[in-house]
Amino acid sequence: MEVTASAPAKVILFGEHFVVYGKPAIVMAINKRVYVKAKPRNDRKIYINSLNLNASGFFENGKFTPETGGSKAKAKLEPVKAVVEKIFQLVEGKSGLEIEIDSKIPVAAGLGSSAAVAAATAKAISALFGVEIEKDEIFKIAYEAEKLVHGTPSGIDPAIATYGGTIIFQKNMGIKPFTVKCEIPLVIGDTGLKRSTGELVAKVRMNKEKYPSIMNPIIEAGGEIVERARKALEKGELEVLGELMNITHSLLSAVGVSHELLDKLVAAARRAGAYGAKLTGAGGGGCMIALANREMLERVASAIRDAGGTAFIAEKSNEGVRIESKH
Ligand code: PMV
């Protein structure tokens, strides 16, 4: 038997950083997915191969032997192994396994690839044991695995990877799905610059402590945008959404988390005819998004490439974690 499961990547449409100070954020699953293929082995080893992280190796009796990726491979694969252990507990079974991870999501770019890997792994391994676990359970397991990768994550990434669709997230209020009937045609531009979410969150905090009377109103405005954007999403007002993205980008720049190359990609997308564009996620590098009319998407993507980024077209994915094949 061999099972393949998948889970989607995400983009933060509105509210990044301001969410740290209690404002809501709007997060959407996109149609770029991570695929996890699993099959049993005849021995007791758990072999994990991540094609994108260039890491593979064997876990056996608490010991790890790398195959590729050397000494760094263990840390990269450990969260996947943690998901496997959780599933063993849940299904009250155990077996040697071969797990292959193939991601269509750029890594360390703020698109939620690690959470998608965790959710898809949980789904694939449980199906291999013939057990169908609830999405709420998959969310919990993926969240635990995320803690191994990111310390104290908000839970947005495992939620969107598990449930898909569009979610409003607010600290201490949790996760509320909401229905967006219109299409959200996006171009995602990647600066290729790796950054640390923790450092950027700390930078905003420093600015806020130094200039509270200036920064606090910006954070308030960031929260107001989310309220307005929610209505625009419900009504399908793409032009309004584009304008709100432009304002958000300026606010994020004001609190200190844009980057020269992000600004360049955002400007190129707008010039090429996007309704609006903004950085997405932590900023300081990573990715930006541009909202555009379907006919304009290719043009916007090529403008982003000309400006020095990589780009791909994406849209909303209503489906969260799912089985792709079982045979
Ligand atoms: O780039 P990401 O997906 O790690 O997003 C970070 C979002 C922040 O609001 C900057 C931090 C957070 O924990 O919400």
Side-chain angles (χ1 to χ4, degrees), residues 52 54 62 70 96 172 197 231 235 243 250 257 262 279 281:
N52 310 79
N54 187 28
N172 306 324
T197 297
K231 289 185 197 130
K235 290 192 204 146
E243 283 164 8
S250 299
V257 297
L262 277 171
L279 69 85

Side-chain angles (χ1 to χ4, degrees), residues 10 18 20 66 82 96 102 107 112 124 136 173 219 224 239 264 290 314:
K10 68 99 184 21
F18 312 124
V20 173
D102 185 8
V107 290
D136 290 354
M173 311 242 290
I219 293 167
E224 289 300 318
E239 281 176 42
K264 203 169 157 198

